[in-house]
Amino acid sequence: MHRAEPPPSYRALLEIPTLGRILLGMALSRIGGSMLGVALVLFTLERFGSPALAGLVTFASVAPGLVVSPIVGALLDRHGRTRLIILDQLVGAGSLVLIAVLALAGTLTPVALVLITGVAGLTAPLSSVGLRTLFPILVPRRLWERVNALDSNGYVVATLVGPPLAGLLVQVVGGPQTLLLIAGLFAVSALVFVRTADPYHETESTGKLLLDAWQGLLYTVRNPTLRALGVSMSVLNLGWGIVTIVLPVLLIQDLGYGEVIVGIAFAVSGVTGGIGALAAGRRRLQGRERPLLVWPILLTGVSAAAMLVSPTLPIVILAMAFQGLLNGPMDVALFTLRQRRTDPAWMGRAFAVSMSLNFVGYPVGAAIGGVLVTSGTDVALAAAVAFTVLAGVLAAILLPRSSTPPSEAPRRANAHVEAAPRDGAGIEPATTVPAAPEASATVAGADSPPG
C-alpha cells in the first residue's frame, strides 16, 4: 500500500537537502546583480554624464553572455552547476574591484569601462542558467510551481533591496565604493556555494563541447514553445531595456529627484511582484500558462503608456507597481512551462539558449534607450510601449495552445548518456519528466522584466 504524497506546500521545499543553501546563495547573488544593474547606470551618469554610454555599458554587461550561451549550457550539462556558479561570482567580483580601483585612481576611461564590463558579462549565464536548471533537478514536479514562485521572488527580493540600496550608496558614498560593496556580495555568494554539492542527473553528450553546444541550439530552435517564447520575450525585453535607461533620466534629470528615488521606483515593482508570484505559486498552472503569459505582457504596455502620458512621480510609482504585479504570475508561468516542455537531459543547453533568446532584447533595448532618450524621454517611452504591445501580440499568435509531442532532439551515433552527481535521498527523479517541446534591467539573467 503506497503512502499518499503530502500536499504541495512551501514548507515541503525546505525539507529538500541543499535547497536552503542554494536559495541563500541565490539571494546574495541576485541582490548583488540587482544593485549592479542600477549602480552601473548611476555610476556612468555620475562619472561621464552620458546616457548613451550608460546604455552601452548596460549592453556590454549582458550581450557577451548571450552570445556564448550555447557553450555555457553545454558546460553546465557536462560539468555540473555549482562550480561554474562560483567561477562566475568570482569573475564578477574581480571585475567590479578593477573598475572601482581605476575610478578611484582617476584612470578609468569609457573604453575600459565597457571592456571590463563585457568580460564580466561573458560568464554571467553560468550563474543565471546554473541556478535556474538546479531547481527542476532537485525539486519534485508537484512542487515546481512553488519553487518557481521562490525563484521569481529571488528576483523580487533583489529588486526590493538592491536598487534603493544602490541608489542610496551611490548618492552617499559614491559610485566606486558602491561597486566595491557589490563585489563583496558576489564573493560571499561564492563562499556559500563552495560546500554545495551538485545533484545527480542524466545528460546526453557527444563528448565534444562545440557539438553539444550546437545541438543544444538546434534543440531549442526546433522546439515550438521555446522558439515562441524567444521571439515574444525578447521583444518584451526591448521595451524593458528602454525603460531601464529612461527611468533614471526621467526622475533625475527631468523631475529633479535623487538617485534614491530611482531605486525606490524599481523596489516598488519588487513588492507587488512578490505578491503576484507567491499567489501564482500556490495554484496548479498546468494547461493555464499561456493566458498567464499573454495577458500580463499586453497589460505591461499600460504601465509604460501611463509614464508617457503623465510623467510624474506618483504615476511612475503606480506604473512600476502595476508592472511588478503582472510580472510575478508571468514569471511563474514562464518557468513552469519551460520545465514541463524540456527534456531533462537537455535542460542545461536548452535553458541557456532559451533564457538568452528571451533576454536578448534587454541589452539591445538599453542601447536603443540610451540613444532615444537624447531626443526626449517621451520618444523613448513611446518606443517602449510599441515593443511591449508587439510582444503581447506575438505571444498570442506564436505560443502553442497545448503541449504537442516533440520532434526528436538532434542525436548522433556517438552520443552517450552521462550521470552527474545528485544530492539528497528521497527526491523524485527529474528523469521522470516527460520530454515535450516547450517558454533586469535590475537583474541580468531574468527571462522577463523583473517584478
Side-chain angles (χ1 to χ4, degrees):
M1 185 174 181
H2 295 287
R3 186 175 60 181
E5 284 188 339
S9 67
Y10 286 108
R11 178 178 294 181
L13 288 174
L14 300 180
E15 299 174 359
I16 298 175
T18 75
L19 186 61
R21 195 176 186 90
I22 290 170
L23 290 173
L24 174 60
M26 177 192 77
L28 293 170
S29 173
R30 288 180 178 173
I31 289 172
S34 181
M35 291 178 67
L36 182 59
V38 174
L40 273 179
V41 174
L42 296 178
F43 169 77
T44 306
L45 291 173
E46 172 193 74
R47 184 154 295 263
F48 300 105
S50 171
L53 179 60
L56 182 58
V57 169
T58 303
F59 176 88
S61 70
V62 179
L66 303 184
V67 173
V68 301
S69 61
I71 295 176
V72 166
L75 286 170
L76 289 167
D77 273 341
R78 294 177 63 178
H79 300 294
R81 274 77 173 159
T82 56
R83 286 175 296 177
L84 295 175
I85 290 172
I86 293 168
L87 173 63
D88 170 54
Q89 300 300 296
L90 294 178
V91 169
S95 300
L96 292 179
V97 169
L98 180 57
I99 292 172
V101 169
L102 291 176
L104 291 171
T107 57
L108 181 68
T109 64
V111 173
L113 176 60
V114 171
L115 289 177
I116 296 170
T117 306
V119 170
L122 277 172
T123 63
L126 292 173
S127 287
S128 58
V129 181
L131 284 166
R132 183 67 45 79
T133 55
L134 272 174
F135 295 132
I137 295 172
L138 281 173
V139 176
R141 281 177 291 167
R142 64 187 178 85
L143 296 175
W144 275 2
E145 281 86 357
R146 280 168 170 74
V147 78
N148 288 335
L150 292 183
D151 186 5
S152 177
N153 269 296
Y155 288 112
V156 167
V157 172
T159 306
L160 178 62
V161 175
L165 183 57
L168 177 64
L169 289 171
V170 170
Q171 187 171 326
V172 174
V173 303
Q177 293 82 355
T178 301
L179 295 181
L180 288 173
L181 288 170
I182 296 170
L185 274 178
F186 287 148
V188 174
S189 174
L191 288 175
V192 170
F193 279 106
V194 164
R195 298 183 64 185
T196 304
D198 265 301
Y200 280 99
H201 72 286
E202 289 187 352
T203 182
E204 184 174 302
S205 174
T206 64
K208 299 177 181 178
L209 180 63
L210 293 181
L211 182 56
D212 282 352
W214 173 247
Q215 291 189 351
L217 179 62
L218 291 180
Y219 177 91
T220 306
V221 171
R222 291 172 178 173
N223 185 313
T225 305
L226 293 179
R227 186 172 63 242
L229 284 169
V231 173
S232 57
M233 298 305 295
S234 63
V235 175
L236 174 63
N237 277 311
L238 280 171
W240 181 252
I242 292 173
V243 170
T244 302
I245 301 300
V246 172
L247 199 61
V249 175
L250 173 63
L251 291 174
I252 296 173
Q253 295 185 8
D254 292 3
L255 300 180
Y257 294 101
E259 289 87 347
V260 174
I261 299 299
V262 176
I264 291 174
F266 282 112
V268 165
S269 70
V271 174
T272 56
I275 295 170
L278 287 173
R282 294 178 64 87
R283 300 171 62 92
R284 185 73 171 171
L285 300 183
Q286 188 164 7
R288 293 181 288 182
E289 298 96 341
R290 188 175 179 277
L292 282 174
L293 285 166
V294 173
W295 285 110
I297 292 174
L298 287 170
L299 291 173
T300 296
V302 175
S303 64
M307 290 189 283
L308 173 62
V309 173
S310 180
T312 63
L313 181 60
I315 294 299
V316 168
I317 297 299
L318 287 173
M320 293 299 286
F322 185 56
Q323 184 272 332
L325 190 63
L326 294 168
N327 196 76
M330 181 170 62
D331 268 352
V332 177
L334 168 66
F335 302 162
T336 305
L337 185 63
R338 179 169 51 208
Q339 288 166 357
R340 289 199 174 107
R341 299 189 182 181
T342 301
D343 186 329
W346 292 78
M347 276 188 174
R349 283 157 287 180
F351 278 31
V353 176
S354 174
M355 290 173 65
S356 294
L357 288 176
N358 293 358
F359 201 61
V360 71
Y362 166 67
V364 177
I368 292 173
V371 174
L372 290 180
V373 79
T374 59
S375 300
T377 53
D378 55 342
V379 175
L381 283 171
V385 172
F387 282 127
T388 303
V389 173
L390 177 59
V393 172
L394 289 171
I397 294 172
L398 298 176
L399 275 174
R401 292 185 176 273
S402 61
S403 179
T404 55
S407 55
E408 274 296 305
R411 299 178 186 273
R412 303 262 180 175
N414 61 338
H416 60 279
V417 173
E418 299 176 345
R422 179 170 187 178
D423 234 6
I427 299 175
E428 184 176 308
T431 51
T432 61
V433 182
E438 162 157 27
S440 129
T442 55
V443 187
D447 289 57
S448 57

